[in-house]
Amino acid sequence: MANPIPNLFRVPELKQKILFTLFILLVYRLGAHITVPGLDVNILRQQFGQLSNTLFGIYDMFVGGGLSRATILALGIMPYISASIMFQLLSAVVPTIEKLQKEGEQGRKKLTQWTRYTTVVLSIIQAYGYAVFLSSIPGAVRTPGVLFMFTTVVALTVGAVFVMWLGEQITEHGIGNGMSLLIFFSIIEGFPAAIGRTWESFVVGEISVVGLAALGAVVVGVTAGVVAMTMAARKIPVQIPRKVMGRGRIREGQKSFVPLRVNSAGVMPIIFAQSFIIVPGTLAAFSSAGFLREISDLFQPGSWLYYGSYSLLILFFTYFYTAIIFNPVDLAENLKKQGAFIPGVKPGARTAEYIDRILTRITLPGSIYLAIIALLPFWIFDWFNIQTFFFGGTSLLIVVGVGLDTVQQAQQHLLLRHYDGFMKKGRVKMRGRGRYV
């Protein structure tokens, strides 16, 4: 199984999952080009060209440009992602939500239902805010009024719910995580056009041959580094002692490990940091106040104040989000219930302290890595004097993470198929000798 790609379509079940996933993604991308009625899209695009460094620009990246085109799927999967993050954060302070997370399948089903309802509410709020924004652009709305507001809110809300349903269908019947794949394809949709613009810059002489080759080498090297750091983990050894199961059966002792990822928080710290660092620019874009413009100028990319604040925010949110999603006490309790222990460490509170100390240490290089990845695009733009290449830290982390997760799931299907075939051959062989297994 050195190269599983040729075998992807040889397994009927896996082939069906892949084709179903591609079909759903095709439906999603087709819907992302149907514009909300009553708008002049050209005027809207001109307005969004001035908002690329604001919250609208980041949101537009996650929905594949649907926001700048005002499509019926402009909200994308982001309301559902926001609702999921909301419940994930609330689980740390609301005992009811934390209890539901620990109740198994029934608790997860109830939380999923609550997340869906919250998604609808968030979609209505975001759709209304976006409709107000569209109405404020001179000439963008052909017939402004209550009817336009109503139809826009309904269309965008229904579109967001439809996207949520598409993501759930991929997760249930396709391959990979549906929500992540929708964001994945929304991001990579802009890659071909961005590569084309970079090539045009090379043709007209804005980028030299050496610069283009160096840019390609940097992109390949950084992508390889992101893959390595995404998979990097600190393995904590765990010992499972020998145990008598009853009726003379004995379970032999086993040695295993608990992997602690260097980048446990994923891409979330960068998203949180971006949401804060672009607040001055967003406020200045919709206000005529002079002091807001001055603050916005201080926090423009290229200044050391921007780089320093951005890095500190990423550092803070990496520790914050890691503490939210990873609980050393729960892990220590689960090990204790299974009779497992870390060699040289007492079970219970001492184990939780040991895990927390290691997690704190490995989170620091993880946060520094995230800060470098987030700032690298700005440095590349300065080094090579280009502003057209679609190479962002957030998008790169999402694309690599989702790609690795999808490939691993495909490999698991192939591995399961391989072992099923091996076991069937073994049973046939044993039956040929007059024995059954």
Side-chain angles (χ1 to χ4, degrees):
M1 296 185 63
N3 185 13
I5 296 178
N7 299 321
L8 291 178
F9 289 92
R10 295 179 183 175
V11 180
E13 181 184 357
L14 184 57
K15 177 181 178 181
Q16 184 178 359
K17 287 179 176 292
I18 293 175
L19 292 177
F20 179 82
T21 302
L22 293 176
F23 173 73
I24 294 295
L25 292 172
L26 176 63
V27 173
Y28 171 64
R29 295 315 306 161
L30 289 176
H33 289 81
I34 302 175
T35 308
V36 173
L39 285 175
D40 190 329
V41 181
N42 294 326
I43 296 178
L44 182 61
R45 287 180 177 175
Q46 293 175 5
Q47 181 69 22
F48 260 88
Q50 306 171 6
L51 302 176
S52 57
N53 292 325
T54 66
L55 186 61
F56 285 92
I58 295 177
Y59 198 111
D60 194 42
M61 178 189 69
F62 288 124
V63 295
L67 206 64
S68 59
R69 297 191 300 266
T71 66
I72 59 175
L73 305 184
L75 298 182
I77 198 62
M78 297 310 293
Y80 183 86
I81 297 294
S82 301
S84 301
I85 294 174
M86 182 187 305
F87 279 102
Q88 195 172 34
L89 296 177
L90 287 176
S91 64
V93 294
V94 180
T96 303
I97 299 177
E98 183 180 9
K99 183 180 178 181
L100 286 175
Q101 286 184 336
K102 297 179 179 180
E103 284 184 357
E105 189 64 27
Q106 289 300 118
R108 284 193 294 270
K109 285 183 178 179
K110 196 167 186 178
L111 274 179
T112 301
Q113 201 66 22
W114 289 2
T115 305
R116 290 169 179 167
Y117 295 147
T118 307
T119 300
V120 176
V121 175
L122 291 178
S123 299
I124 294 174
I125 296 174
Q126 292 180 11
Y128 177 77
Y130 185 53
V132 172
F133 166 72
L134 293 175
S135 301
S136 66
I137 301 176
V141 181
R142 295 189 177 93
T143 55
V146 177
L147 181 60
F148 170 78
M149 296 288 292
F150 176 77
T151 54
T152 302
V153 170
V154 171
L156 293 178
T157 303
V158 172
V161 174
F162 178 66
V163 172
M164 177 181 67
W165 179 80
L166 290 178
E168 291 178 348
Q169 295 305 304
I170 293 178
T171 303
E172 185 176 353
H173 303 292
I175 185 168
N177 183 284
M179 312 304 170
S180 301
L181 280 174
L182 292 178
I183 297 179
F184 174 87
F185 273 86
S186 296
I187 292 175
I188 66 174
E189 186 207 21
F191 281 11
I195 294 174
R197 291 194 298 269
T198 304
W199 178 257
E200 290 177 1
S201 300
F202 168 72
V203 171
V204 299
E206 294 181 2
I207 304 177
S208 64
V209 177
V210 177
L212 186 64
L215 177 62
V218 169
V219 170
V220 173
V222 171
T223 304
V226 170
V227 172
M229 287 297 292
T230 302
M231 301 180 66
R234 166 72 156 84
K235 298 179 180 180
I236 300 178
V238 174
Q239 180 72 43
I240 302 176
R242 184 178 181 182
K243 184 177 181 181
V244 178
M245 306 295 291
R247 294 185 179 182
R249 293 184 302 166
I250 299 177
R251 186 187 70 182
E252 295 295 334
Q254 300 176 358
K255 292 182 179 180
S256 184
F257 61 86
V258 176
L260 297 182
R261 286 181 174 257
V262 175
N263 182 25
S264 301
V267 74
M268 294 309 300
I270 297 181
I271 295 178
F272 287 150
Q274 281 181 330
S275 301
F276 276 83
I277 201 71
I278 62 177
V279 167
T282 304
L283 293 177
F286 296 98
S287 175
S288 58
F291 73 96
L292 288 177
R293 175 59 60 184
E294 294 177 1
I295 296 176
S296 174
D297 293 338
L298 292 175
F299 284 92
Q300 287 298 317
S303 66
W304 286 106
L305 180 60
Y306 177 89
Y307 292 152
S309 303
Y310 198 11
S311 301
L312 290 176
L313 284 171
I314 292 175
L315 184 71
F316 168 76
F317 282 116
T318 302
Y319 277 95
F320 172 77
Y321 196 71
T322 301
I324 292 294
I325 64 174
F326 194 94
N327 191 338
V329 176
D330 290 343
L331 178 57
E333 288 297 323
N334 291 333
L335 292 175
K336 188 176 181 180
K337 290 177 182 178
Q338 297 173 7
F341 63 92
I342 300 174
V345 182
K346 291 183 179 180
R350 291 292 179 86
T351 299
E353 293 174 1
Y354 178 78
I355 295 174
D356 183 64
R357 185 165 62 252
I358 292 179
L359 187 65
T360 302
R361 290 177 178 177
I362 66 174
T363 300
L364 179 60
S367 62
I368 295 174
Y369 147 76
L370 287 176
I372 293 175
I373 291 298
L375 294 176
L376 191 61
F378 302 110
W379 297 337
I380 290 178
F381 294 155
D382 292 338
W383 293 339
F384 298 103
N385 193 26
I386 59 172
Q387 300 293 329
T388 59
F389 194 71
F390 194 80
F391 187 79
T394 308
S395 58
L396 182 62
L397 284 172
I398 292 175
V399 168
V400 170
V402 176
L404 287 175
D405 180 64
T406 306
V407 170
Q408 288 175 357
Q409 289 198 27
Q411 288 179 336
Q412 289 174 1
H413 280 284
L414 291 175
L415 189 62
L416 181 61
R417 177 81 174 190
H418 176 74
Y419 279 121
D420 284 344
F422 177 77
M423 294 301 293
K424 288 179 181 178
K425 290 180 181 179
R427 284 193 291 268
V428 171
K429 186 175 181 180
M430 295 302 290
R431 288 193 184 102
R433 296 176 179 178
R435 296 172 60 188
Y436 293 86
V437 294

